[in-house]
Structures are given as structure tokens and as C-alpha cells.
Amino acid sequence: MTLRSMIEKQFGRPKGIFGGLAGLIMAYRPSNRKLNAWTVDRLGIAPDDRVLEIGCGPGIAIAEIAKKLETGLVVGVDHSIVMIDQATLRNHTAMRAGRVELSNRGIDDLPMVIDGYTKVVAINVLQFLPNLGLACSAIAKVMAPGGVLAVTYQPRLKNPKLNAAAAFGDRLAIALAHAGFIDVHIEEMPHVAGPVICVLGRKSQGPKA
């Protein structure tokens, strides 16, 4: 097994030395930083938003979101303690200011906030989960009615085609609709070498939400 393949195997759940290297790649690869910034822009963060990032990794999107907040809060969760450590180092100033909280948790143990999260984001995370329906239901439970969810996905295949991303996007869109999300649609990131999509939806304010 090559060094590259050993590092690539860490992207699902980074741990140890190679997990730390995977986190550094996520944090400093220009294309990944651009992807994170593009996804955050899809959310339209307001200064008082209550934001949750699922699978926050090394904290790149957390830092982007924190810059847009004044009285709001962004909570980042990740099931890898290696990633939480890196995210903490990257966002320590905003954490001291009370704009960022980080927690070593998974999708089955999402933290709550008063009145629910107004924005939720997950970047290259949900494709690793065995059951999209359960994941979408778990996310809906912690969101405020009318809250916006953005899920970005980039296929990690050799020479990936748009249909590889679209297939996952369609599966996720169906799962979101069943979980009570409305206005579900898919946006494609422009000017990138391979396909990147973002599935967006809004939590319904009806009885199903």
C-alpha cells in the first residue's frame, strides 16, 4: 500500500498520524478551501444565525462561518478527535469570543441549541453514512422550522463524471423530502476540474417538520 493510498483511506474517519496528514491536506489544498467557501456562500449566513456543521474536519468552513457571525454561533461536530483538535487550533480565537463550539460527536448524537439551528452544513460527509434516511431525520430534528441545509458532495473517483455526483444528489434529495424538507434542489459548483454538487433544502414549517 502506498503512502497516498494510506492517507486517502483516512478521509472517512481520520485517526492517528495518517489521519492528521489527511486533515492537513483538507485544510491547505486550494480546491478544498474553495469548495468550503462556495458551500458556506450557499447558506447565506446572517450575523445572528445558529449554525451546525456535521463533520467539520479541520475547521475550514467553521472559520468561514465564524467570520460572518456577530451574535450568532457555529457548532462543529466530528467523530474524529484528530479533526476536532485541528479545528480547535484553527478557530481558537473565535471559540474564546463565544462564536464557535466544537464537539467530538457523530450524526447519531447531534447537539441541540435553543430554538434549533437556522443553518446546517455537511461537506463530503453524508456519502460515508450507511443510511441517508436516518441521517436526514436526525438533522431535521435539531433544525429550526424554515432552517436551511446545504450538503456538498464531490466524488472521489478517478476522472469522475457529473452523473456520479448526480446519482448521490438524487438519492439525498429523496431522503430529504421524506424527512420533511422542502424547496430541495441541486446546484453545481462552476469552474472546477471535477463535478461538485450542493443539495439544498429548507425544513418545512408544517406538522412533518
Side-chain angles (χ1 to χ4, degrees):
M1 184 178 292
T2 65
L3 176 61
R4 178 174 179 175
S5 63
M6 292 174 72
I7 294 173
E8 287 177 345
K9 286 175 69 69
Q10 293 289 324
F11 285 106
R13 187 166 192 161
K15 59 183 178 181
I17 293 174
F18 291 114
L21 290 173
L24 291 175
I25 290 171
M26 289 184 232
Y28 292 105
R29 179 182 284 168
S31 61
N32 197 54
R33 297 183 71 88
K34 183 178 179 182
L35 179 151
N36 275 260
W38 176 78
T39 303
V40 171
D41 284 345
R42 308 273 74 70
L43 288 168
I45 300 294
D48 61 347
D49 266 330
R50 304 178 300 278
V51 188
L52 171 67
E53 183 179 12
I54 301 168
C56 64
I60 300 304
I62 293 287
E64 288 287 330
I65 294 166
K67 289 188 294 188
K68 301 175 183 293
L69 298 177
E70 294 176 7
T71 59
L73 171 70
V74 54
V75 177
V77 299
D78 201 293
H79 59 187
S80 166
I81 191 62
V82 174
M83 293 296 94
I84 291 296
D85 288 344
Q86 289 195 15
T88 298
L89 288 172
R90 183 162 284 106
N91 292 280
H92 62 91
T93 300
M95 291 179 73
R96 286 202 301 269
R99 296 195 307 276
V100 172
E101 293 180 4
L102 299 171
S103 182
N104 182 205
R105 299 175 185 235
I107 190 77
D108 55 348
D109 184 30
L110 296 177
M112 302 288 289
V113 293
I114 295 175
D115 296 326
Y117 295 99
T118 53
K119 305 286 170 62
V120 176
V121 60
I123 300 173
N124 281 326
V125 171
L126 296 195
Q127 71 268 25
F128 293 113
L129 302 180
N131 192 315
L132 280 178
L134 289 179
C136 292
S137 294
I139 293 168
K141 287 177 182 177
V142 301
M143 290 186 68
V148 176
L149 169 68
V151 178
T152 292
Y153 170 60
Q154 179 180 30
R156 295 298 183 182
L157 306 171
K158 187 174 182 180
N159 301 317
K161 305 299 182 184
L162 180 58
N163 59 357
F168 175 79
D170 290 343
R171 285 175 51 222
L172 179 57
I174 292 170
L176 288 173
H178 282 301
F181 287 85
I182 60 174
D183 300 333
V184 178
H185 63 284
I186 300 174
E187 296 185 14
E188 184 181 356
M189 184 175 177
H191 314 305
V192 289
V196 176
I197 62 164
C198 184
V199 183
L200 294 126
R202 184 163 52 87
K203 184 180 174 181
S204 170
Q205 304 206 32
K208 190 176 181 180

